[in-house]
Amino acid sequence: MENIPESFYSVEHYLRSYEIPLLEETREQLSSSMDIISRAPFAEMVGFFEAKPQGTLLYDVNIDYWRNRFRGSGNEHYKTLPGDIVILTSAKPENVSDLQRVGWTWTFAVVTTIRGDETEDAATYTSFTVKAQKEIEISDGLQKSLTVISLTNITTSKRIWNALHMFGNLNIIKEILCTDSVVRYIYITSRRRICVCLACNILF
């Protein structure tokens, strides 16, 4: 993975330097989730329709109910949220290598919208829209028998990515960076550091 440089040519260079570490961290988050795929929340699909506009890889999904809803210490219940990365697969895998079996079909998808009344209990979030990684053939509102497996949520990563590409007002960032002054770096971990601007005594 490319290291974040000690100095930057511009604010744009500063922001771009965090792109690859963010992508790598997101990949590791997804990979870790797939390593424990047998314990991930999953549900059986009861309806699957191509959403409008057609040709956008958007699909409306209806499931029966989520299983394996307990996460962490067991007190946290899984609920469907926008930004969830799911796998649509023809069978429930016990490990990630099962996805490579002959005859298995699967694809990644991201939940874009929760349909229905979001004031209801999370267990009733059984209708939602996903954007798939690739096109899925549909017959009579269902693609054979599909299982939906929830892996992780990337909403935080997406917000950071969007922030790194918001160049509307760079003057604020320039003031924080104090590009005309000396900056001292204090490393906290290999991926996170605190910068101390000696001119303005700002931590960022």
Side-chain angles (χ1 to χ4, degrees), residues 49-60 131 135 138:
F49 306 88
E50 186 173 10
K52 297 180 179 180
Q54 295 182 346
T56 56
L57 301 180
L58 290 171
Y59 298 91
D60 291 333
K131 183 163 187 177
E135 187 175 357
I138 303 175

Side-chain angles (χ1 to χ4, degrees), residues 23-44:
L23 291 173
E24 184 62 27
E25 185 172 298
T26 305
R27 290 191 192 98
E28 289 187 10
Q29 177 184 346
L30 182 58
S31 177
S32 298
S33 298
M34 294 190 70
D35 286 341
I36 55 173
I37 195 170
S38 63
R39 303 201 301 271
F42 71 98
E44 298 300 325

Side-chain angles (χ1 to χ4, degrees), residues 45 48 50 57 59 88 105-109 130 132-139 142-143 146:
M45 191 181 298
F48 190 67
E50 186 173 10
L57 301 180
Y59 298 91
L88 310 179
T105 58
W106 66 279
T107 186
F108 286 114
V130 301
Q133 184 182 36
K134 60 184 180 182
E135 187 175 357
I136 302 172
E137 295 183 4
I138 303 175
S139 177
L142 189 62
Q143 201 278 339
L146 287 180

Side-chain angles (χ1 to χ4, degrees), residues 2-20:
E2 182 180 344
N3 293 327
I4 297 176
E6 294 288 338
S7 59
F8 309 94
Y9 304 116
S10 64
V11 174
E12 290 84 354
H13 179 220
Y14 168 78
L15 295 175
R16 286 198 306 270
S17 66
Y18 285 89
E19 290 181 0
I20 293 179

